[in-house]
Amino acid sequence: MIANIGYGALCITLVIAVYGIVAAIYGSQRKSPYWVDSARNAMLLTFPLLTLSVIALEILLVNGNYELDYVASVTSKSMPLYLKITALWGGQAGSLVFWTWVMSAFASAVTLRNWERDREFLPWVIVVALVTLTFFLGLIIFVENPFARVWVFGGSVIVKSMFPPAGAALFFQEDGRGLNPLLRHPGMIIHPPMLYIGFVAFVIPYAFAIAALITGRTDDRWIRITRRWTLVAWLFLSLGLLLGGRWAYDVLGWGGYWGWDPVEISALMPWLTGTAFLHSVMIQEKRGMLKHWNMVLIILTYDLVIFGTFLTRSGVLSSVHAFAQSSIGPLFFGFIGLTFVVSLSLLLNRWNELKSEAHLTSLLSREALFLLNNLLFLGILVVSFWGVIFPLLSELITGQKVTVGPPFYQRATAPLFAGLLLLMGIAPLSAWRHSTVQTLGKALWKPTIVSLFGPLIAAVFGIHYWAALLGFWLVAFVASVTFYEYGRAVIARSHSRSEPIWRAFWELAGRNRRRYGGYIIHLGVAMMGLGIIGVEMFQTETQGTIGPGQELKLGHYSISYDSIAIFDTSDGRNVARAVVNIYKDGHLVGEVYPRRDYYYESQQPMTIPGVRSTMEDDLYVILVDWKPVSTSMATFKIYHNPLVNWLWLGGLVFILGALVAAWPDRDEQTVRVKKKKESLVRSNA
Amino acid sequence: MEQFEQKKGKPIKQSNRIKFWIGGLLIISAIVYLIVSSTQANAQYFLTVEELQAKGDQMIGHDVRVSGAVIGDTIQYDPQSLKLTFEVANVPGDNKVIEEQGGLAAVLHAAVNDANQPRLKVVYNDVKPDLLKNEAQAIMTGKLGNDGVFYAQELLLKCPTKYEEALPQQSGG
């Protein structure tokens, strides 16, 4: 019954979405506000209907209606309530429902804004949003239906379908198969929805871009309207990527955070084009340049978002992620190909109207450096894309699958990331339009000298590897330029208005959120860079079998095995938990509890490291093997991860900066109202 | 705007534009070089057990990637030395073939229980991954030794039998 309501709501939404597309196009052609309003109402109606569908699915998940294949595949009786609720995005079909629901919420929110000045955009924004929605609804209803039940013929044949096949009975399962223990981690529970929200929010700027191309209103209005949406999309996508990394570090037990897995890359790719887009729209706003380029970037971002949604949920690549074999691949490729070709032909149609209003005048000007930054981001994108499709290409051409692993990505992207850091240091101090070596040098020499302390300090600590020293310099350079720029502005303001420093800092961020939010983000990147250099270049490891009281050494550290406890828990686990003391240079500095949980139900062990974490380094201890008696030997593996906490702290600063940048500007609104009043006064006069 | 720009500033010289083109081309060629050289340095054949054994001597000493079904009874682990040995059975590499035979779970199950399937002995020196068990799919990167044993440096596992959702990298190299 509930399943029928959920499924019915989806079907009605599909019909309404198709109607909305037709009404919007017709209304736009006929210049009829009546039809456009009707289309807008259709758009608004999709949200309550999809909400109904989501609620129905949630009820089924929480109740444990295991006759539904989806419910049985992602939940089980022993799972706590919050995991049953979040199982909504635990599998393919549910994730797609969640995707459309968020999509509908965002698109509805957009249609509720004040359209007075942008009437002509409205129908086309609705069309793009509803076409996207229709595609996903079609997938859910006809191919990946979470409400499908399992049926049985004469006690043997099992069929998955929404409605009972003739002569079949409902197949009741006692219990579901449950969510994999490895995924029962807070980071993994909020990681997918963050990514999806980021993905979906990027549809909004794309919709406006397409509306601008169709209506021919190709000034930077579409960019100004969607600036905040772009930042919000980017914020969530960044957060999703960071949470994924943190989960890998906490759970997967190899001391890493990013494995260049195709699925990870598919989430990174729209982030790369989105980041390039965030930078290059500033050039269009300030200088009226790069209009074609911005269109290309947002079109790419949109299709990479669809590609990412698809890759995470299909078996097309030999990723270790989702290996759900399903038939949605060709449909996705068809949709991506179609939207890409249509978008590009719309762009070509307006090509001449999108001419630049200015030219690049100087190689060191801000806009030239931004363009360079775009090239580097796109370079990383091409490397990533190449790595993902190389196996498919090689198989197509030579008949032999050839793959590239993490070393390929590391080698090819490291110089590009280094280049980005260098630009991050230089660009904020270069001037728009015209910058010369002299003017730039004058602005840069102080922070440059300060930044040299970075590698100097590293050298004093005995680091002589050139790449590490270069890395430390770049990180210090970005940090010192950022502090210098922000600090100078804070001090200037604090002097001129006699405000306390903290207040000036706060007010400045509030005045020009994008600029100062951007600086905070840059600082976060520098901190993350420090952590990445630490782990990638200086990680060490050892392993050994020791008895109680015995020690295992790694660098300055040693661990001693104290005891072990083995017990059953009420939620169906068998836990082996060791107590390990950590010594640094012979002094006791802490105690960690590496353990191994064995989930009886899924027969799945899970290794949870014991980590002693400081800003200087992490000591990451894994319990490999043990005997049930405390007096016997146990085997441990230890990783020493220098500076890794800077990665997580930097991630926090990064997100904070993105929040500052994306926060609504109150000033912007009041300025707009003021201007409007002025123009009203003028027209009355 | 364009004309205004030209009047106000110095006239835009042809040489200026050429400078940008040269700069852009240099960066693009650097990126292309990075991709090509990194591909050459790191490309690995992705083979099935059968293909690897067919190529035999040719592949000895080369980095390759092999996929196979883990045979649970053969897993032996010495935690003292972290030496892990097990055997994998051949599974087809083509997604289409896998689909035709009823999905990955069915293919893995059949491969493990079919004594006629080619088998490969694997040695891996590290912590035993949580997901290593009977009928899991193993994707191993490493070298085939003269003794016909595969020495893996990296071992990835997935268990499609029970779960359809995301299961990322279990152990790194």
Side-chain angles (χ1 to χ4, degrees):
Chain A
M1 180 59 199
I2 294 171
N4 288 344
I5 292 175
Y7 186 69
L10 287 175
C11 295
I12 298 170
T13 317
L14 180 65
V15 174
I16 288 175
V18 172
Y19 164 77
I21 296 169
V22 176
I25 295 175
Y26 184 77
S28 166
Q29 299 303 56
R30 288 286 167 114
K31 306 234 176 318
S32 154
Y34 173 80
W35 283 99
V36 175
D37 264 351
S38 177
R40 188 212 298 229
N41 288 337
M43 177 78 251
L44 289 175
L45 198 54
T46 60
F47 181 64
L49 280 167
L50 285 172
T51 307
L52 185 66
S53 188
V54 167
I55 291 173
L57 190 51
E58 285 292 1
I59 292 174
L60 295 162
L61 285 167
V62 171
N63 273 353
N65 288 59
Y66 300 120
E67 71 272 18
L68 269 73
D69 188 55
Y70 182 74
V71 175
S73 69
V74 292
T75 62
S76 66
K77 279 179 182 165
S78 66
M79 271 163 61
L81 181 65
Y82 76 97
L83 282 177
K84 285 182 184 169
I85 293 172
T86 54
L88 175 64
W89 51 78
Q92 176 166 283
S95 319
L96 290 175
V97 172
F98 179 74
W99 210 100
T100 54
W101 184 54
V102 177
M103 171 82 235
S104 159
F106 285 0
S108 300
V110 162
T111 58
L112 286 175
R113 71 183 289 276
N114 181 9
W115 286 89
E116 217 170 294
R117 290 172 58 197
D118 318 295
R119 269 274 149 209
E120 67 269 44
F121 283 160
L122 177 61
W124 297 108
V125 169
I126 292 176
V127 168
V128 173
L130 286 181
V131 165
T132 311
L133 206 58
T134 302
F135 169 68
F136 279 96
L137 282 170
L139 277 185
I140 298 168
I141 293 171
F142 300 112
V143 190
E144 282 294 333
N145 178 10
F147 296 104
R149 281 162 283 208
V150 183
W151 306 89
V152 62
F153 290 103
S156 62
V157 188
I158 287 173
V159 176
K160 206 176 111 180
S161 116
M162 186 66 220
F163 300 105
L170 206 53
F171 179 72
F172 280 102
Q173 294 174 69
E174 258 309 291
D175 197 358
R177 302 188 285 277
L179 193 66
N180 191 302
L182 287 174
L183 299 176
R184 298 179 188 183
H185 175 275
M188 204 48 184
I189 287 158
I190 39 180
H191 156 78
M194 292 300 115
L195 272 189
Y196 275 14
I197 290 172
F199 277 0
V200 172
F202 267 123
V203 176
I204 306 295
Y206 168 76
F208 274 87
I210 294 300
L213 285 176
I214 292 177
T215 58
R217 192 177 166 189
T218 47
D219 58 354
D220 61 5
R221 182 70 191 147
W222 71 273
I223 286 176
R224 290 187 188 275
I225 299 174
T226 57
R227 191 153 82 181
R228 198 118 286 138
W229 279 104
T230 311
L231 280 167
V232 167
W234 189 75
L235 164 70
F236 277 101
L237 196 50
S238 309
L239 191 56
L241 288 167
L242 278 168
L243 285 170
R246 178 73 213 207
W247 168 77
Y249 187 74
D250 281 353
V251 171
L252 293 183
W254 45 278
Y257 50 91
W258 182 262
W260 290 106
D261 181 280
V263 172
E264 292 167 350
I265 294 170
S266 73
L268 178 71
M269 287 196 293
W271 185 88
L272 290 168
T273 51
T275 314
F277 179 72
L278 275 182
H279 286 96
S280 72
V281 291
M282 289 186 228
I283 305 180
Q284 183 167 348
E285 286 176 24
K286 293 253 183 211
R287 303 271 283 131
M289 294 158 65
L290 298 184
K291 293 178 181 176
H292 301 119
W293 181 244
N294 286 330
M295 284 287 175
V296 170
L297 281 180
I298 196 66
I299 293 167
L300 268 180
T301 307
Y302 173 79
D303 278 319
L304 286 172
V305 157
I306 307 286
F307 187 61
T309 310
F310 158 63
L311 266 198
T312 49
R313 293 299 177 194
S314 80
V316 75
L317 299 161
S318 93
S319 161
V320 231
H321 278 81
F323 209 89
Q325 297 285 341
S326 92
S327 42
I328 62 179
L331 294 170
F332 261 104
F333 276 120
F335 185 70
I336 291 170
L338 190 71
T339 51
F340 194 63
V341 168
V342 170
S343 307
L344 281 190
S345 38
L346 286 172
L347 175 59
L348 286 178
N349 193 30
R350 299 281 177 196
W351 194 262
N352 291 330
E353 291 166 46
L354 287 165
K355 265 213 162 126
S356 280
E357 293 155 28
H359 287 288
L360 284 174
T361 46
S362 150
L363 270 176
L364 292 173
S365 64
R366 179 84 66 96
E367 51 269 42
L369 294 178
F370 268 40
L371 194 59
L372 191 55
N373 135 310
N374 268 240
L375 273 180
L376 292 180
F377 272 115
L378 271 270
I380 299 172
L381 174 79
V382 172
V383 170
S384 306
F385 193 70
W386 175 253
V388 170
I389 60 159
F390 187 66
L392 302 178
L393 274 184
S394 70
E395 194 170 20
L396 218 64
I397 295 165
T398 64
Q400 187 61 64
K401 216 174 197 171
V402 181
T403 63
V404 289
F408 160 77
Y409 296 101
Q410 282 158 6
R411 191 185 142 164
T413 58
L416 302 176
F417 278 116
L420 280 174
L421 279 175
L422 186 64
L423 281 179
M424 206 182 278
I426 298 173
L429 295 180
S430 76
W432 292 100
R433 288 162 200 275
H434 204 67
S435 227
T436 61
V437 176
Q438 283 87 353
T439 57
L440 201 55
K442 218 172 145 190
L444 273 173
W445 71 270
K446 280 188 225 162
T448 309
I449 287 179
V450 173
S451 70
L452 288 175
F453 280 98
L456 213 64
I457 293 169
V460 168
F461 276 95
I463 293 161
H464 300 297
Y465 179 44
W466 69 269
L469 290 177
L470 178 67
F472 282 126
W473 175 71
L474 284 169
V475 164
F477 183 52
V478 174
S480 67
V481 165
T482 309
F483 276 121
Y484 179 69
E485 258 303 90
Y486 206 147
R488 233 174 21 167
V490 167
I491 289 168
R493 188 185 162 97
S494 144
H495 270 295
S496 67
R497 307 202 176 203
S498 52
E499 281 174 352
I501 293 282
W502 64 268
R503 198 182 161 82
F505 175 88
W506 185 250
E507 289 287 328
L508 265 180
R511 280 231 103 54
N512 190 344
R513 291 186 196 284
R514 188 165 57 172
R515 182 190 179 100
Y516 292 99
Y519 284 150
I520 298 173
I521 293 170
H522 285 183
L523 193 63
V525 172
M527 292 164 75
M528 289 168 74
L530 191 61
I532 291 170
I533 294 169
V535 181
E536 295 296 326
M537 295 189 181
F538 300 104
Q539 187 181 54
T540 51
E541 58 179 79
T542 187
Q543 67 219 16
T545 303
I546 47 179
Q550 283 182 321
E551 289 196 349
L552 184 60
K553 269 194 183 318
L554 178 62
H556 287 281
Y557 285 96
S558 64
I559 64 163
S560 93
Y561 172 37
D562 186 82
S563 62
I564 195 161
I566 296 159
F567 51 90
D568 278 339
T569 63
S570 58
D571 56 351
R573 284 176 297 157
N574 179 270
V575 176
R577 179 174 171 276
V579 179
V580 171
N581 291 315
I582 296 180
Y583 296 88
K584 188 178 184 185
D585 297 323
H587 302 286
L588 181 67
V589 289
E591 202 177 66
V592 294
Y593 315 101
R595 56 179 230 259
R596 174 85 61 100
D597 290 10
Y598 183 82
Y599 287 78
Y600 287 113
E601 179 189 276
S602 51
Q603 299 171 16
Q604 166 82 58
M606 179 170 172
T607 306
I608 297 149
V611 184
R612 181 195 179 254
S613 205
T614 64
M615 286 319 288
E616 190 188 333
D617 52 13
D618 272 16
L619 199 72
Y620 190 102
V621 184
I622 298 168
L623 175 63
V624 178
D625 194 67
W626 64 93
K627 298 279 175 304
V629 235
S630 246
T631 48
S632 298
M633 312 280 270
T635 309
F636 295 94
K637 177 154 189 172
I638 325 173
Y639 290 93
H640 180 237
N641 298 330
L643 302 175
V644 69
N645 262 311
W646 288 89
L647 174 57
W648 311 122
L649 191 68
L652 269 180
V653 172
F654 184 101
I655 295 300
L656 187 78
L659 264 176
V660 168
W663 205 263
D665 261 326
R666 201 182 297 142
D667 294 4
E668 203 177 290
Q669 295 291 335
T670 47
V671 167
R672 215 178 276 158
V673 173
K674 259 188 208 160
K675 274 190 185 158
K676 210 190 231 169
K677 273 185 190 156
E678 274 166 25
S679 65
L680 273 176
V681 171
R682 227 177 291 146
S683 61
N684 284 345
Chain B
M1 186 68 192
E2 201 168 313
Q3 281 174 351
F4 170 72
E5 190 67 28
Q6 292 190 359
K7 268 181 211 159
K8 195 186 157 199
K10 279 177 264 173
I12 288 141
K13 280 177 268 172
Q14 198 64 27
S15 68
N16 209 344
R17 189 167 282 197
I18 291 170
K19 231 166 35 183
F20 279 101
W21 277 111
I22 292 173
L25 282 177
L26 273 179
I27 287 163
I28 290 167
S29 37
I31 293 170
V32 170
Y33 166 77
L34 275 175
I35 292 175
V36 171
S37 66
S38 306
T39 309
Q40 278 171 348
N42 295 297
Q44 299 154 340
Y45 277 110
F46 195 175
L47 303 167
T48 63
V49 171
E50 200 171 12
E51 286 166 345
L52 178 69
Q53 287 169 344
K55 291 194 191 258
D57 294 350
Q58 238 180 299
M59 281 293 139
I60 288 174
H62 286 283
D63 261 334
V64 288
R65 203 171 240 223
V66 185
S67 148
V70 176
I71 303 162
D73 295 340
T74 62
I75 300 174
Q76 282 174 357
Y77 187 46
D78 176 18
Q80 308 285 317
S81 59
L82 299 189
K83 187 178 175 187
L84 176 66
T85 60
F86 58 93
E87 285 179 28
V88 292
N90 181 58
V91 285
D94 195 345
N95 264 351
K96 246 186 227 142
V97 178
I98 292 174
E99 197 90 334
E100 279 163 18
Q101 296 179 2
L104 189 60
V107 168
L108 289 169
H109 180 76
V112 168
N113 294 305
D114 179 359
N116 295 324
Q117 283 289 347
R119 293 183 172 198
L120 178 68
K121 195 175 171 198
V122 181
V123 174
Y124 176 66
N125 285 300
D126 208 325
V127 178
K128 181 179 157 190
D130 294 337
L131 289 172
L132 185 81
K133 51 186 166 188
N134 195 33
E135 295 180 18
Q137 186 189 14
I139 297 173
M140 301 149 295
T141 310
K143 292 184 173 79
L144 186 66
N146 283 319
D147 47 3
V149 173
F150 191 77
Y151 294 91
Q153 281 126 36
E154 194 188 289
L155 173 58
L156 307 179
L157 292 150
K158 47 191 172 191
C159 305
T161 37
K162 280 217 152 240
Y163 307 103
E164 74 158 11
E165 71 285 278
L167 265 194
Q169 195 154 322
Q170 239 290 293
S171 73

